[in-house]
Amino acid sequence: MKGRMLVTLAVGILTVMVVLTLLPLILMFYTSFKPTGTLFQSTTEVRVADFEIGEMNSIGGPIAVKAEEGAASVVTMEFQPAQAAPQQNRVMAVHYQVVDRPVRWTTRVGQDMRKFAALELKVRGEAGGESFQIELSDLKGRRTGVPLQVLRRGGLTTQWETIRIPMEAFRLSSLTPGVSERVAEELEITFTGGTGTVYLDDIRFLFRGWTLNNYWDVLVSGPFGRYFWNSAWIAVVVTLANLIFSTMTGYAFARRDFPFKKLIFLSIIGSIAIPPQVLMVPVFILMKHLGWLNTYSALIVPNLVMPFNVFLMRQYITKLPIAVEEAARIDGASEFDIFWRVIVPLSQPALAVVGINTFMGSWNTFLYPFLLTNTVEMRTLPVGLALYKSLHGVDWVHLMAGSAITALPVIVVFLCFQRHIIEGLTRGSTVG
Amino acid sequence: MAWLVPAPGHAAPEEATLEFWELSVGEELMRSLLDKFERQHPGVRVRFQQLSWDFGLDKIITAIAAGNPPDLVELGTDWVPQFSSSGVLADVTDQVAPFKDQFLLWDPVTYKGRIYGMPWLAGTRVLFYNRALFARAGLNPDAPPATWQALLDAAKAVDALGPEIYGFGIHVGEAYAPWQEFLPFAWGNGGKVLDDGWTRCLMDQPPVVEAMRFYKSLKPHSLVERQPQVNQLFAEGRVGVQVSGAWNLAVIPRMNPTLNFGVGLVPKPSERRGTPASFAGGEMLVILNSSKHREAALQLARFLAEEEQAMAIVEAQRNIIPAAKSAMHNPYYAGHPEQKVFFEQVQHAVAPPAHPHWVRMQERINRAVEEVILADSDPEKVLRQVTADVNKLLVIPETGGRFSDTLIFGGFLALLLGVPLASWLLKLKRRGPKAVRMRHSVYNLWISGVFISPWIITVLAFMLVPLVHSFVLSFSRYNLLTSEFGFVGLRNYWDVCREPEFLHALWHTLFFAAGSIPPTMALALFGAVLINQKVPFKRFYQAGFFLPVATSVIVISMIFTYLYAQDGLVNKVLEVLHLPAPNPPWLLNTKWALVSIMLMNVWASFGYYLVLFLAGLQTIPSELYEAASIDGANDWQKFRYITLPQLKPIVLLATVINTIRALQVFPEIFTMTQGGPLGATTTVVWYLYETGFHRFDMGHASAVGYVLFIITMILSWVQVKAFKEENT
């Protein structure tokens, strides 16, 4: 009875602790799927223009009308107070007279169109039957449009109505070819014929709900795919090397005798305590002399045997029962046979610990990869992430997608090997 | 002059591969520009490297120190003086003369009348204001405040809109924003940092004091925060006005696409007096003296600075303007009037003095702004102190020591390493000849050698060589930038031990270790014991606690910077609980900044020790507990007399590891506070990094490293001893 209460209490406390522990990471994943915004703020729409404040649109961009030079067509615009509406409630009136070439009313948008589900605007015609084309154009003047006729056969009426255009109606691929973002610089209302007046209000873009765009941006069209590969390759090689070499070295320290053994072993412990910043410049100079700058070698070779792993393996092997080895030796096994057939299999639990430790360390390390790599082809995830941060400011959604990509593999590796790790630490009581 | 600019249109005659490093453009675009350059200049290939603002300088310095610098590199205006005065840059005065009129911003690359670089892109700070808030506060949304009074009035009016809204944003807690934002007010008021001959600091003169008083008067209506946080709140529509860089034209719409904001010139003192001054910054392209292809490098620099290429960068980034004067009439600006404001602002922009010690002066001015704003100090008093300190920097210290000291130094080193080694060998012989002799047969040695060779080789090459190298440095004066080298004996160590800055850093580090290790251990032990109570979903809890450990420190720091902000999650929770939040917020508060990082550190690391302890717990034989139960022991007694003693070896190991890690705390400081506010988070490694890579004093930095190493060893030894004693 008392035992069950204790367990319930423990579960309660643990759950609270785990939730608190995971909260920042959950925020990270949550943010990475948002189309835009910050960790806490969610935006559902971009109101491009409601014509309420000043002479600019609602995101601070200019509003203008354009007729081609030399054309006889005319277009003008004015901010008009809405009928039967309180102060501070204005609409946009566009007067047009198309004689030869089309005229345009335009306003700045400057947004990545992939984030949006639809464009919505309120319109009304002066006489009814007015029509136009709704277009998006990029910085270089490439445009894609939807004729109003497609949505409202017979054009506008004299009543306000809300038009909703799903983004799929536009051919977004014609904007900004060559890059993944589809930035529409301007939203344009193009009049191709006739004369009349059109009233506009509340032009807004509605966001999609959840999106994988952020991941797509950083991973496929951004450089994170390459970073990922680099990190993975380096981490795998370093981990494999450490599994073999640190066992070898640990075995030598645990079971064999050679001169300066104690001194060398102490130096292993000592080397963990040296701040790596002291070695930054000397290591850089060394790598330069070796011609290893910006190569995998520079990131892999120095880490083939990490001191902490040697320390762990030595502690573990010291505690293995020596009888098995002695028996093998009596049976005439060579030193290498003993190592390979006795020590390595017996060390499996400790190897799991070394493996995950090394993988994690290698995956997350920042200082030397930052210092020793020069190009996008060689960078690892943490370096790429830090670089991305300082190049793109606090672009939380992309930053969190990049962070998630950086964090996820280690999390997955840990979850897969979790049991072995605990077992490894437990079975040999490795540590100590 | 061995190298001259060829007649226009002629490509460099020889095959040349240029190495070019830049910080602000981005890989994709830069590559396309360089491809174009290569097509126009057959025979010249350009390899380029994208750096970033946070880490660029360190990398450039390291490369110069290693004798491996690029041919052409981008430098921020404030970095150029140190480089040009230290003689590592190529003098291009004669080469740029023919086209000098076509570009802006020559001041930052000019040192003692000679020109050491090519202005590329100009950046300056302008006024950003929230049009929607202006309209709500009854101000004209199309008229940004143009005078100090108007700015103060606007800040007051907007601030009055509600407790969640701030009138103005004051930037503190970082290296550039505070001084770059404050000095324009002083410059606009006719103030100067130095007199024209660089003989005297003028920061205590009335124009500067007045400006500082005005700046301080904005504080009650302002959000005082780090620049990213001010920006964040500005983007959320909660800050009326801020003075910020052009990059925000691109950043803010990304952060909040719905924000209705405008830009204007920095306000001037009054309608009739002063100028709307701003900070003239920007990107310069400089050629390294060591370059073998200076001619081609200059061609590339000019190519990149020309209107066409510069405009391609502007159009992609919208956060900078070309240094090429002709760009002002580029059709792009007709459609983007808000970006044209930057051109106008640049006309009134002032470049800070290109003094070789400018970086240290700016550090000092930066601190002064923080002292006035964060610590509420008296402007006049603070500025008097600044003047005194800057005056000291104006007397350039003598350069000494030469490489000829190598011999003395070599002897010293041999003595230093040889004596302990010899004595150890002697001791070894005396102590146990039998044990040593016994198993050292040649065959056995050979086998041992095979087993430890991978480790020995990597350690010798990548640990010992750099270690000896840096050890050598710790006994010398070694300037990273100029490669000036000289033996100074124990001087560095002596300096380190009596320097108040280092002692502060040491105190912070020890405080960090002492304050974060016990909670980490306690939390880990507590969690491990709970999980060991045969709870269901054991593995779920284990994994949950471990995940932060698996996450990169870079990622964690970014998340927590946000959590600790003025309106971050932590403050929101406190608000719900009706608890007072520290003001200024966590990471900016001299009392709380280090504690905040400690808490984050506990969060990020306790899972690791929890898993270790859990493993330890599972090895404790259950018979012990059963026996104790029979003897009538209660749960606490079982924990105290069975669990704890059995766990002791693991706790010892965990404590030692944790101590070493805590003493080396760095990436967190690097990404979150950069040692600030007012030095409150300066730890030993941060201090080391700053001395080595910002002040270029690598000898001193190495000495700091070794002092830290000794302290670490002593602490670990004490811990081991203490545990062992308790055991017996």
Side-chain angles (χ1 to χ4, degrees), chain B residues 421-486:
Chain B
L421 199 71
S423 72
W424 183 80
L425 278 174
L426 283 174
K427 230 171 35 194
L428 193 82
K429 276 248 168 80
R430 239 183 292 128
R431 209 194 294 151
K434 220 160 69 189
V436 176
R437 221 184 313 133
M438 204 168 57
R439 288 169 65 190
H440 287 175
S441 71
V442 176
Y443 176 72
N444 260 335
L445 266 182
W446 188 79
I447 299 277
S448 301
V450 170
F451 277 115
I452 62 166
S453 59
W455 178 76
I456 285 285
I457 291 165
T458 50
V459 153
L460 281 183
F462 300 104
M463 199 78 208
L464 214 58
V465 169
L467 212 59
V468 170
H469 191 158
S470 68
F471 195 63
V472 168
L473 290 183
S474 77
F475 293 99
S476 26
R477 182 194 303 118
Y478 176 56
N479 184 309
L480 261 188
L481 205 53
T482 57
S483 296
E484 185 189 300
F485 182 94

Side-chain angles (χ1 to χ4, degrees), chain B residues 609-624:
Chain B
Y609 304 104
L610 185 142
V611 171
L612 274 187
F613 292 160
L614 194 57
L617 284 175
Q618 291 174 0
T619 62
I620 300 176
S622 54
E623 296 86 46
L624 285 179

Side-chain angles (χ1 to χ4, degrees), chain A residues 137-154:
Chain A
S137 73
D138 72 4
L139 203 57
K140 295 275 177 261
R142 289 174 286 246
R143 44 172 59 88
T144 167
V146 178
L148 184 70
Q149 296 287 348
V150 173
L151 304 151
R152 293 283 187 278
R153 208 168 283 277

Side-chain angles (χ1 to χ4, degrees), chain B residues 235-505:
Chain B
E236 285 172 18
R238 293 171 46 193
V239 176
V241 186
Q242 68 164 335
V243 174
S244 188
W247 62 83
N248 261 340
L249 280 181
V251 170
I252 290 174
R254 262 177 179 275
M255 286 163 62
N256 178 7
T258 69
L259 191 77
N260 189 355
F261 71 98
V263 290
L265 299 179
V266 174
K268 55 186 192 173
S270 73
E271 284 295 347
R272 296 193 200 136
R273 204 165 52 83
T275 55
S278 185
F279 160 74
E283 303 315 307
M284 306 286 126
L285 292 169
V286 298
I287 299 164
L288 275 294
N289 236 339
S290 55
S291 167
K292 292 193 183 71
H293 311 290
R294 297 185 201 176
E295 185 184 289
L298 187 66
Q299 278 177 354
L300 176 59
R302 190 183 164 187
F303 169 83
L304 290 171
E306 275 166 359
E307 180 182 341
E308 195 183 336
Q309 282 67 247
M311 282 313 294
I313 297 166
V314 170
E315 284 175 20
Q317 313 234 316
R318 299 152 195 242
N319 58 7
I320 204 144
I321 61 170
K325 288 181 185 167
S326 58
M328 201 191 290
H329 308 293
N330 191 289
Y332 173 82
Y333 285 109
H336 297 78
E338 79 282 2
Q339 292 188 42
K340 216 177 170 181
V341 169
F342 287 90
F343 264 119
E344 218 174 307
Q345 184 73 72
V346 163
Q347 312 297 320
H348 299 287
V350 180
H355 192 278
H357 291 328
W358 171 248
V359 169
R360 286 164 83 169
M361 294 180 195
Q362 93 188 16
E363 265 172 30
R364 187 62 193 86
I365 297 170
N366 219 50
R367 220 175 73 215
V369 175
E370 295 192 337
E371 277 164 6
V372 169
I373 298 297
L374 287 178
D376 240 339
S377 308
D378 175 48
E380 201 165 351
K381 217 170 102 193
V382 168
L383 287 171
R384 259 206 311 274
Q385 193 54 48
V386 171
T387 308
D389 291 348
V390 172
N391 276 335
K392 274 181 218 153
L393 288 173
L394 286 174
V395 192
I396 303 173
E398 284 288 308
T399 52
R402 284 280 159 263
F403 205 70
S404 57
D405 294 328
T406 318
L407 262 183
I408 316 171
F409 175 73
F412 181 78
L413 186 72
L415 215 69
L416 213 76
L417 288 177
V419 169
L421 199 71
S423 72
W424 183 80
L425 278 174
L426 283 174
K427 230 171 35 194
L428 193 82
K429 276 248 168 80
R430 239 183 292 128
R431 209 194 294 151
K434 220 160 69 189
V436 176
R437 221 184 313 133
M438 204 168 57
R439 288 169 65 190
H440 287 175
S441 71
V442 176
Y443 176 72
N444 260 335
L445 266 182
W446 188 79
I447 299 277
S448 301
V450 170
F451 277 115
I452 62 166
S453 59
W455 178 76
I456 285 285
I457 291 165
T458 50
V459 153
L460 281 183
F462 300 104
M463 199 78 208
L464 214 58
V465 169
L467 212 59
V468 170
H469 191 158
S470 68
F471 195 63
V472 168
L473 290 183
S474 77
F475 293 99
S476 26
R477 182 194 303 118
Y478 176 56
N479 184 309
L480 261 188
L481 205 53
T482 57
S483 296
E484 185 189 300
F485 182 94
F487 173 64
V488 293
L490 289 167
R491 175 79 182 278
N492 287 329
Y493 288 92
W494 172 242
D495 282 350
V496 165
C497 293
R498 62 198 182 108
E499 210 158 41
E501 247 184 297
F502 170 77
L503 296 175
H504 271 134

Side-chain angles (χ1 to χ4, degrees), chain A residues 118-273:
Chain A
L119 164 64
E120 253 190 35
L121 68 163
K122 285 188 185 157
V123 282
R124 179 171 82 84
E126 178 74 47
E130 292 89 347
S131 188
F132 50 75
Q133 182 151 333
I134 300 151
E135 294 180 331
L136 301 169
S137 73
D138 72 4
L139 203 57
K140 295 275 177 261
R142 289 174 286 246
R143 44 172 59 88
T144 167
V146 178
L148 184 70
Q149 296 287 348
V150 173
L151 304 151
R152 293 283 187 278
R153 208 168 283 277
L156 300 181
T157 64
T158 54
Q159 295 300 312
W160 281 106
E161 52 187 327
T162 303
I163 297 179
R164 186 190 169 97
I165 312 163
M167 271 300 139
E168 289 72 35
F170 295 100
R171 272 195 47 227
L172 293 181
S173 57
S174 54
L175 299 175
T176 59
V179 284
S180 65
E181 290 204 335
R182 302 277 173 228
V183 178
E185 188 65 9
E186 303 276 339
L187 169 72
E188 306 185 330
I189 308 276
T190 304
F191 302 94
T192 48
T195 302
T197 298
V198 166
Y199 298 92
L200 305 169
D201 202 2
D202 291 344
I203 303 176
R204 46 198 197 133
F205 286 95
L206 307 177
F207 279 112
R208 291 177 195 283
W210 299 104
T211 172
L212 286 171
N213 274 347
N214 305 323
Y215 284 92
W216 177 268
D217 285 349
V218 297
L219 203 57
V220 181
S221 53
F224 276 69
R226 180 73 205 189
Y227 298 161
F228 191 95
W229 161 248
N230 289 339
S231 281
W233 169 242
I234 293 168
V236 166
V237 174
V238 166
T239 306
L240 287 179
N242 268 281
L243 288 177
I244 299 167
F245 294 144
S246 62
T247 315
M248 282 165 63
T249 317
Y251 169 67
F253 279 116
R255 289 288 199 256
R256 307 196 59 83
D257 202 0
F258 47 89
F260 305 115
K261 185 169 132 180
K262 213 166 181 184
L263 180 78
I264 295 172
F265 189 67
L266 274 178
S267 76
I268 297 182
I269 318 270
S271 65
I272 304 173

